[in-house]
Amino acid sequence: MSKNHPNYVSTTNACKLCRPLGACLAFKGIEGTVPYLHGSQGCATYMRRYIISHYNEPIDIASSSLSEKHAVYGGGPNLKLGLTNVAEKYRPRMIGIATTCLTETIGDDVGMYLQEYAKDTAGSKGLPDIVNVSTPSYAGTHMEGFHGAIDQVIEQMAEGGPQNRTVNLLPGFVSSADYRLLREIMDDFGLDCTMLPDLSDTMDGPAMLEYEKVPAGGTPLAAIKAMGRSRATIEFGRTLGRKGSGGFRLRKKFNIDDHRLGMPIGIEETDRFFDLLCSLSGRPVPEKYVAERGRLVDAYVDGHKYVFGKKAIIYGEEDLVVGMSAFLAEIGIFPILCASGGTSGRLAEAIAAVTADILPRQPEIHEGMDFFDISEMAETLAPDLIVGHSKGYPLARKLNIPLIRVGFPIHDRVGGQRILHLGYSGAQRLFDTVTNAVIAKKQADSRVGYSYM
Amino acid sequence: MEAVALKERENQIYIKGETPFNIVCDKDSLAGAVSQRACVFCGSRVVLYPIADALHLVHGPIGCAVYTWDIRGALSSGPELHRLSFSTDLQEMDVIFGGEKKLRQALLELIDRHNPKAAFVYSTCIVGIIGDDLEAICRQVEREKGIPVIPVKSEGFKGNKRAGYQAACDAMFRLIGTGETSSISKFSLNILGDFNLAGEIWMIREYYERMGIEVVANITGDGRVDDIRRAHGAALNVVQCSGSTMQLANMMEEQYGVPSMRVSYFGVEDMSEALYDIARFFKKKFPGDREADAIMERTTALVKEEVRNLMPGLEKYRKALAGKKAAIYVGGSFKAFSLVKAFRLVDMEVVLVGSQTGTEEDYRELEAITDPGTIIVDDSNPLELTSFLKEKGVDIFVGGVKERPIAYKLGIGFCDHNHERKEILAGFEGMLNFAREVYSSVMSPVWRFVPRAKSME
Ligand code: SF4
Ligand code: SF4
């Protein structure tokens, strides 16, 4: 399965982002939170730019703006000064601090600075909660940053106590539309749910009259504090280990049942999710979703011939790659290369778990890949389509095959935050998109140019 | 002004006509403020990026490289090596034991793979801390591979974007003076500070060629290493934009005696003035020379023709846009000057103007060309900007990609005047595009739906 892929020293066109970016995104899904990078100014500015190009939403990321002398003497004073400034200016409910390569390398002890800061500011009113996470980019990708931030929010905020009816939902990094859908599903099952994070409103908000310094929405802080009292946790992510898993932490610390699932992409993975919801809620699948699933199966049947046997390259964040592999396999497309810049060590196993009973043989599966590696392998693999974020566009263009845009970032289309991946409705959208892309390609390449299928 | 500015920032903001002129700039960004400013590395990368046949290797962790992958519309007429994002992607072990070995191997690997004409190696923050000796590695590889391998001292925390421009100029200066110059015409120039966004430099080059002037090197839009190596043979450096490449021109003047001239290609007035200035330069340099006179004649004809072609098209936009209010927040203040004039050409009113990296002198000049009541800001942040936008009721905001969502969220028109744009905004043709851009935002019917519209009824 894991044939040797070329092993280069240099990286060309990385298929991953840096760790604090993931942490900032996770923090953005929490009520009243301003992400704050401890490091030099450049990192924050770059990440803002990068995130904005996907969401078309304002995102403020504060920075402790270290300069050369701070790098030598330590960034503590700047960190604290910055906290006060952010607190005054934004009046946030919470500040989420992520470190950067610089402050990790100089060995700044953020935990200690925060203790000092707490002492310095003892007795002040209206200070925000502060959560910090260590995110050196030389170890791990934006996904480690994302999960690490969620994990630390739980570690530093969640409290125990008598159990309540709530179910914790930790979906990982999905689109704003996906978070919105998940909320709706939990609601329809009548489940009290704390979903962490929740970027449905904070990164896909309405046009406003007054600019909100910190946009409304996100997981309520009170709910996060109560997460230690929930009766169960559902966490998506087959490649997630114990480290960085909020579900695992909640189990260890508060003895809460944790249910690990793959991202519910495609029918089979969504069925697993719904089965769990049925057992947690004691209710059958709501009629609305039964109907949705029925229509989806009907659509699969109507379109199956167009896509059957097509070969796809899938790349991006590991758990998204797993979910997309499951989906493509079940509609009859063969994933031939599954690649990620991440290095969980669990990608191949996770893909096998969701595709082994369908695929006659497993695709090439490689971690730690960049787009140079992917392109090189693509030459011999002859794919019919590629599936991933917009940074694969040059490859699609070179091969003259369709790119199915999923995940993050989508920098070359509008509405990246509204791409729906999850659930039956997400699968419906994906199926239509993939099938139509295949049909459109055939139509465009045909000499005749039929106006019917 | 509302009390929205962070206290320490108040003297970085100025309202014309209120107090005697005084603005503090070139300060480090304030901790905790969400600054729009970028780092040293960003400055260097932006300037060197369009050199299309060079290898640009970012030595550091992955983020710094990946956030600068193919982000600018700097076009090349040939090789496109600059559009790839190369990184050493430093890992924990490299940080502990040093990244020199990895850097060397990465360089050798990439040079073998791509055969570049030169390699630029950018240092990022942590490289400054772990103490890799970039000079030494570059020297070694240069000897081994026989191409210039140039370290760019761009550790992010060592200052702001402006320091990065300087580092980029230092790097290019090492190339200049190493090429053959004997065949260069005495009527020749280098184009500095244009990055060939959307193909702008091709248009500018064409103007110069129509005037009868040889362009030696593009620095750096659609740039080539070999051209830069012989740039010292040009008679004149024509520098666009206030910050980025002025230092290079200064160094070239000192070492090679190449004089320089600052111009702006933006807006009809400035574009024409630039071409005339250059023609005058050669007339003065070669008094009585027939060719110098001919250059002036051709320039006059060129400007006349271009303006004649442009005006009817522009008139339609002017009529629609007259009296609308504009706000400007851009990287360099030189660009801001031109924008002020361009808006004036279509009879619009500029109510706010600011930049990330202006000098005090720049702001003085801005003050001189704006109307009373215009707000002038240095290194602003989103909160400040929005409060000004609202207060002034602007119809269109000109800024970079980071400002766009703020404007849109408040239901304000927007024009992208930064490095990612895909439209030519320079030159005569560019003025028309600019007006069209402004027009297609300001006149769009979508504003009737935004909350702001109801509130203004
Ligand atoms: S230094 Fe680290 S945190 Fe900053 S942009 Fe580079 S990789 Fe990301
Ligand atoms: S690490 Fe330094 S060089 Fe890299 S983006 Fe951040 S500030 Fe700039």
Side-chain angles (χ1 to χ4, degrees):
Chain A
M1 193 182 332
S2 260
K3 260 184 256 152
N4 279 341
H5 78 273
N7 209 358
Y8 298 116
V9 179
S10 60
T11 297
T12 304
N13 299 344
C15 186
K16 61 178 177 181
L17 300 164
C18 77
R19 217 164 138 177
L21 177 129
C24 290
L25 285 169
F27 288 140
K28 273 307 284 183
I30 297 172
E31 175 194 16
T33 299
V34 173
Y36 181 121
L37 291 186
H38 183 38
S40 31
Q41 176 63 50
C43 311
T45 300
Y46 272 142
M47 289 177 216
R48 285 183 55 219
R49 202 204 68 85
Y50 205 84
I51 294 171
I52 286 171
S53 301
H54 173 89
Y55 287 97
N56 271 302
E57 288 282 322
I59 170 168
D60 288 0
I61 299 175
S63 159
S64 54
S65 281
L66 301 191
S67 66
E68 196 162 9
K69 64 176 190 288
H70 309 117
V72 177
Y73 298 112
N78 254 44
L79 175 76
K80 295 181 214 165
L81 179 64
L83 284 173
T84 303
N85 281 336
V86 173
E88 263 177 30
K89 183 81 170 174
Y90 285 85
R91 303 271 159 207
R93 301 285 309 275
M94 185 178 116
I95 296 176
I97 304 175
T99 56
T100 61
C101 301
L102 174 66
T103 45
E104 288 287 338
T105 309
I106 61 176
D108 261 7
D109 185 344
V110 174
M112 187 188 75
Y113 294 150
L114 291 180
Q115 277 168 18
E116 289 169 12
Y117 186 69
K119 240 179 263 159
D120 297 349
T121 55
S124 333
K125 261 190 285 195
L127 269 188
D129 287 318
I130 299 176
V131 166
N132 73 298
V133 57
S134 161
T135 46
S137 280
Y138 46 75
T141 70
H142 62 299
M143 287 320 294
E144 276 74 22
F146 188 95
H147 290 300
I150 294 303
D151 179 48
Q152 282 307 305
V153 167
I154 291 171
E155 163 67 14
Q156 294 168 40
M157 308 262 297
E159 291 160 8
Q163 201 185 70
N164 59 29
R165 301 293 311 149
T166 307
V167 172
N168 300 321
L169 177 59
L170 307 175
F173 181 33
V174 292
S175 76
S176 295
D178 291 326
Y179 288 113
R180 211 172 285 134
L181 174 75
L182 288 172
R183 246 181 11 197
E184 194 181 316
I185 292 174
M186 298 305 274
D187 244 23
D188 291 338
F189 269 96
L191 287 163
D192 270 343
C193 166
T194 297
M195 179 170 71
L196 178 68
D198 180 359
L199 291 117
S200 53
D201 298 326
T202 54
M203 291 307 284
D204 193 17
M208 309 283 281
L209 182 57
E210 294 288 328
Y211 185 71
E212 290 178 330
K213 296 177 187 178
V214 184
T219 316
L221 288 177
I224 295 174
K225 291 201 169 121
M227 280 176 91
R229 300 165 49 203
S230 297
R231 64 186 167 110
T233 303
I234 306 172
E235 186 167 33
F236 298 155
R238 290 176 177 271
T239 69
L240 194 57
R242 286 182 159 189
K243 204 168 151 232
S245 153
F248 182 70
R249 185 174 296 278
L250 285 161
R251 170 145 61 95
K252 243 181 48 187
K253 210 167 164 178
F254 304 108
N255 202 20
I256 299 173
D257 278 352
D258 90 44
H259 304 270
R260 181 74 73 83
L261 296 173
M263 279 190 179
I265 300 178
I267 290 182
E268 297 215 357
E269 286 285 71
T270 303
D271 283 350
R272 292 183 185 108
F273 176 47
F274 275 73
D275 284 350
L276 177 62
L277 296 183
C278 289
S279 83
L280 286 175
S281 65
R283 294 190 192 180
V285 175
E287 196 41 51
K288 168 175 155 193
Y289 298 100
V290 174
E292 248 177 29
R293 190 182 185 285
R295 283 195 299 271
L296 177 60
V297 172
D298 193 56
Y300 274 18
V301 171
D302 291 344
H304 72 279
K305 270 194 197 165
Y306 302 104
V307 293
F308 183 77
K310 299 286 179 213
K311 293 178 289 176
I313 291 179
I314 312 165
Y315 59 86
E317 293 138 11
E318 290 174 78
D319 283 313
L320 182 66
V321 168
V322 174
M324 289 308 303
S325 301
F327 162 71
L328 291 173
E330 76 182 16
I331 64 171
I333 290 183
F334 294 121
I336 44 171
L337 168 62
C338 300
S340 177
T343 51
S344 72
R346 285 176 283 269
L347 184 60
E349 192 191 327
I351 290 174
V354 294
T355 62
D357 65 332
I358 297 181
L359 294 179
R361 91 191 91 75
Q362 282 292 293
E364 297 252 6
I365 299 171
H366 299 292
E367 300 179 358
M369 295 280 276
D370 64 17
F371 279 100
F372 185 82
D373 304 330
I374 297 174
S375 289
E376 203 171 58
M377 295 190 72
E379 276 167 27
T380 53
L381 290 171
D384 298 297
L385 64 156
I386 66 173
V387 180
H389 53 74
S390 65
K391 299 298 164 183
Y393 176 68
L395 177 62
R397 188 179 167 104
K398 191 174 102 186
L399 299 174
N400 189 27
I401 54 174
L403 164 62
I404 307 300
R405 288 174 179 77
V406 294
F408 174 93
I410 304 298
H411 282 173
D412 62 349
R413 289 290 184 274
V414 296
Q417 75 274 43
R418 290 185 294 272
I419 295 179
L420 189 63
H421 309 81
L422 304 187
Y424 302 121
S425 48
Q428 182 69 71
R429 198 207 64 90
L430 286 173
F431 183 76
D432 292 346
T433 308
V434 168
T435 309
N436 283 332
V438 171
I439 292 171
K441 166 81 176 141
K442 192 169 174 192
Q443 186 177 37
D445 290 351
S446 120
R447 274 186 38 239
V448 184
Y450 295 100
S451 62
Y452 58 91
M453 291 194 298
Chain B
M1 199 187 350
E2 306 168 45
V4 65
L6 289 179
K7 246 181 264 125
E8 285 187 40
R9 276 196 44 79
E10 266 164 20
N11 48 2
Q12 283 177 278
I13 302 162
Y14 167 73
I15 299 186
K16 178 160 174 176
E18 285 198 346
T19 41
F21 187 83
N22 180 23
I23 192 162
V24 179
C25 48
D26 207 10
K27 274 176 51 162
D28 289 338
S29 296
L30 195 62
V34 178
S35 166
Q36 313 286 70
R37 254 183 201 178
C39 64
V40 183
F41 164 69
C42 178
S44 297
R45 189 86 171 95
V46 156
V47 171
L48 297 175
Y49 172 78
I51 304 176
D53 56 355
L55 182 83
H56 300 269
L57 174 61
V58 182
H59 185 38
I62 198 63
C64 320
V66 86
Y67 300 134
T68 53
W69 170 21
D70 205 19
I71 55 169
R72 313 181 79 211
L75 300 185
S76 164
S77 54
E80 293 202 317
L81 200 47
H82 68 302
R83 293 188 58 199
L84 301 178
S85 156
F86 302 113
S87 166
T88 48
D89 189 7
L90 291 181
Q91 297 298 303
E92 197 146 19
M93 285 303 144
D94 308 316
V95 173
I96 299 170
F97 298 110
E100 293 183 4
K101 209 175 115 208
K102 192 169 193 185
L103 171 60
R104 206 185 102 84
Q105 283 175 348
L107 262 175
L108 293 174
E109 179 176 286
L110 291 169
I111 291 173
D112 285 344
R113 189 189 290 163
H114 295 288
N115 283 314
K117 293 277 188 186
F120 293 104
V121 181
Y122 302 78
S123 49
T124 56
C125 286
I126 66 169
V127 172
I129 303 290
I130 62 181
D132 282 358
D133 188 348
L134 248 62
E135 280 284 349
I137 302 290
C138 288
R139 220 177 305 123
Q140 266 179 32
V141 176
E142 176 161 320
R143 236 179 284 129
E144 226 167 297
K145 290 289 163 193
I147 58 163
V149 179
I150 302 169
V152 185
K153 299 191 187 74
S154 51
E155 292 91 336
F157 57 78
K158 288 197 167 157
N160 58 30
K161 211 167 168 178
R162 189 112 46 93
Y165 297 153
Q166 177 69 52
C169 291
D170 290 343
M172 280 190 284
F173 195 58
R174 292 164 77 143
L175 280 178
I176 289 169
T178 60
E180 174 58 47
T181 59
S182 56
S183 64
I184 296 174
S185 154
K186 66 177 179 174
F187 300 104
S188 59
L189 55 79
N190 299 313
I191 303 176
L192 274 72
D194 189 286
F195 303 111
N196 202 30
L197 306 175
E200 273 172 12
I201 213 166
W202 298 328
M203 184 184 65
I204 304 288
R205 263 185 93 113
E206 195 219 276
Y207 293 157
Y208 291 140
E209 278 154 17
R210 276 161 70 188
M211 286 159 65
I213 297 171
E214 177 184 347
V215 177
V216 180
N218 297 347
I219 297 174
T220 53
D222 196 16
R224 295 293 180 279
V225 172
D226 286 343
D227 294 343
I228 296 172
R229 298 177 82 144
R230 61 203 285 268
H232 58 296
L236 175 67
N237 277 331
V238 180
V239 190
Q240 194 204 205
C241 192
S242 54
S244 59
T245 48
M246 199 60 218
Q247 283 308 317
L248 184 67
N250 292 343
M251 290 189 278
M252 285 175 73
E253 175 144 25
E254 207 166 289
Q255 177 123 2
Y256 302 104
V258 184
S260 68
M261 180 183 287
R262 256 174 95 164
V263 301
S264 164
Y265 297 132
F266 186 75
V268 172
E269 225 175 293
D270 285 3
M271 184 69 235
S272 312
E273 212 34 49
L275 299 182
Y276 282 130
D277 278 350
I278 291 160
R280 273 194 290 269
F281 167 85
F282 286 110
K283 243 177 110 103
K284 205 165 144 213
K285 182 163 177 183
F286 305 107
D289 187 301
R290 294 253 296 280
E291 179 55 18
D293 293 342
I295 287 177
M296 181 53 96
E297 277 160 30
R298 288 193 288 263
T299 306
T300 314
L302 186 158
V303 171
K304 266 210 190 103
E305 186 191 332
E306 293 288 339
V307 171
R308 194 175 344 110
N309 292 343
L310 166 72
M311 279 312 174
L314 202 59
E315 185 52 23
K316 159 182 154 201
Y317 298 123
R318 197 196 56 78
K319 272 194 197 129
L321 295 174
K324 304 273 186 200
K325 289 180 186 168
I328 301 167
Y329 186 76
V330 287
S333 47
F334 215 61
K335 202 187 298 177
F337 299 148
S338 298
L339 281 162
V340 170
K341 291 186 217 161
F343 276 123
R344 207 168 274 168
L345 193 63
V346 288
D347 288 339
M348 288 177 66
E349 189 188 333
V350 175
V351 293
L352 174 142
V353 56
S355 80
Q356 286 168 45
T357 54
T359 62
E360 189 174 336
E361 190 191 329
D362 293 335
Y363 288 112
R364 223 175 268 289
E365 219 176 310
L366 269 181
E367 196 230 348
I369 61 169
T370 49
D371 300 325
T374 303
I375 298 173
I376 302 177
V377 292
D378 172 55
D379 186 23
S380 191
N381 59 58
L383 285 180
E384 220 168 68
L385 286 174
T386 52
S387 72
F388 291 142
L389 290 182
K390 266 183 42 203
E391 193 184 309
K392 290 287 182 176
V394 305
D395 295 294
I396 190 150
F397 181 39
V398 186
V401 67
K402 294 187 293 291
E403 286 79 49
R404 185 182 60 208
I406 301 176
Y408 283 173
K409 185 94 327 193
L410 293 174
I412 296 169
F414 185 81
C415 171
D416 195 354
H417 204 280
N418 229 322
H419 301 303
E420 289 123 57
R421 64 194 151 84
K422 311 270 186 301
E423 287 284 336
I424 289 185
L425 295 182
F428 300 102
E429 189 184 314
M431 182 64 214
L432 205 58
N433 287 340
F434 176 72
R436 190 182 307 120
E437 275 256 332
V438 172
Y439 178 83
S440 50
S441 192
V442 170
M443 305 309 285
S444 167
V446 300
W447 308 122
R448 73 173 66 193
F449 302 111
V450 304
R452 197 166 80 117
K454 290 211 185 62
S455 80
M456 291 191 317
E457 266 164 18

